[in-house]
Amino acid sequence: MARNATLLVLDFDQTLTSSDTLNMVAAVAKRKYPENRDFAWFTEKYMEDYRKHQAQWQSRIDNEKTTREFLNEYLESFRSVETASLNRISKYGILAGVSRDELYDGGRVVEFQPGAATAIHRFMQAPNTHVCVVSVNWSADFIRGALDANGVLNSKSILVACNNPEFDKHTGLSQADISPRLVVASDKIATINNYKQEIAQKTGLNPRLVYAGDSLTDLPALLLADTGLLVGQSNSVIKWCKMLGVAFDQPRSAEGGKTLHCLPSWESALEMI
């Protein structure tokens, strides 16, 4: 099968954006319903669960041999933490009662990192390039608002995969429950592989994968990619790469030349495109 197509997959929060935006998603409903529980409470509960879970794993991290299988097992173990967080969001309904347009408008105040939109444009100018956002965020409409507000051209052609509230067919307003579709690294891998398969079936082309992410949850996808772009300099990602023996900016011959780059900013990525 020919290989002259590209699939560019982008994480959203703190890869494209200048800061985490989950509080901004919640703020869309909070402005409309001031009685909603403050988002800081959910953050505190999440961090309590996270720290407890991390403490349970620390001994294994310190003493066991570091392999990609071990990394995947470690990241998968956080499914319970992430699912519990989404269940709290659903239980208290802090995203309920807003329209898709309101979520879209909420995304329009998000600021992207310098050079991010330009980098996306550069990629999209190449023939047979497919772009998607794969994120643990809670609203595709919010993400699309951010893409448009930051000047990403042809944003409607960009697929967005994330967690989403359900919307009432009659009122058009969001319901309380958010299904945990994308919560851990393996969910991102499954989504990426599905997109690759769809492109191959539709075009007969086996796409080259470029993945951009910023956190440890992104590391399996960064290593899966033909070209991985670590945006920013995450200490945890750098630490795990060292433990795994993965060097930055050096093709891995045993993996067909796959390469992981560590970029201080999107502006530095422009030189590579």
Side-chain angles (χ1 to χ4, degrees), residues 214-234:
D214 71 288
S215 71
L216 193 58
T217 301
D218 297 305
L219 183 53
L222 288 166
L223 296 176
L224 174 69
D226 298 286
T227 301
L229 304 175
L230 174 63
V231 181
Q233 299 183 339
S234 165

Side-chain angles (χ1 to χ4, degrees), residues 21-113:
T21 67
L22 290 180
N23 63 323
M24 299 173 70
V25 180
V28 174
K30 179 71 170 174
R31 286 191 291 270
K32 193 172 183 180
Y33 307 104
E35 68 275 14
N36 279 2
R37 189 180 285 266
D38 288 341
F39 187 73
W41 181 84
F42 295 92
T43 301
E44 180 182 347
K45 292 297 182 183
Y46 173 81
M47 291 307 302
E48 288 176 2
D49 289 349
Y50 181 93
R51 286 189 290 265
K52 181 179 179 180
H53 189 81
Q54 179 66 27
Q56 293 171 344
W57 270 83
Q58 196 58 54
S59 178
R60 291 189 62 185
I61 294 171
D62 293 339
N63 295 294
E64 292 191 23
K65 181 180 179 180
T66 304
T67 63
R68 294 196 193 182
E69 291 75 17
F70 180 73
L71 169 66
N72 291 337
E73 181 187 357
Y74 168 65
L75 294 176
E76 182 66 28
S77 74
F78 280 92
R79 184 177 295 278
S80 61
V81 175
E82 301 296 340
T83 301
S85 177
L86 273 182
N87 286 343
R88 277 191 293 270
I89 298 298
S90 297
K91 177 181 178 181
Y92 288 93
I94 66 167
L95 291 186
V98 294
S99 68
R100 296 184 64 179
D101 285 344
E102 287 171 322
L103 287 165
Y104 176 89
D105 289 340
R108 290 188 61 84
V109 301
V110 172
E111 292 185 2
F112 276 10
Q113 296 188 37

Side-chain angles (χ1 to χ4, degrees), residues 195-213:
Y195 281 152
K196 288 185 67 177
Q197 185 176 9
E198 289 176 9
I199 293 169
Q201 290 174 344
K202 290 179 181 179
T203 68
L205 303 174
N206 182 24
R208 166 179 169 262
L209 175 62
V210 179
Y211 184 89

Side-chain angles (χ1 to χ4, degrees), residues 222 225-229 247-252 257-261:
L222 288 166
D226 298 286
T227 301
L229 304 175
F248 291 103
D249 305 313
Q250 296 183 21
R252 303 191 297 278
K258 291 182 177 181
T259 308
L260 175 57
H261 301 281

Side-chain angles (χ1 to χ4, degrees), residues 261-272:
H261 301 281
C262 185
L263 307 175
S265 67
W266 275 106
E267 291 174 324
S268 60
L270 295 174
E271 302 173 2
M272 302 173 52

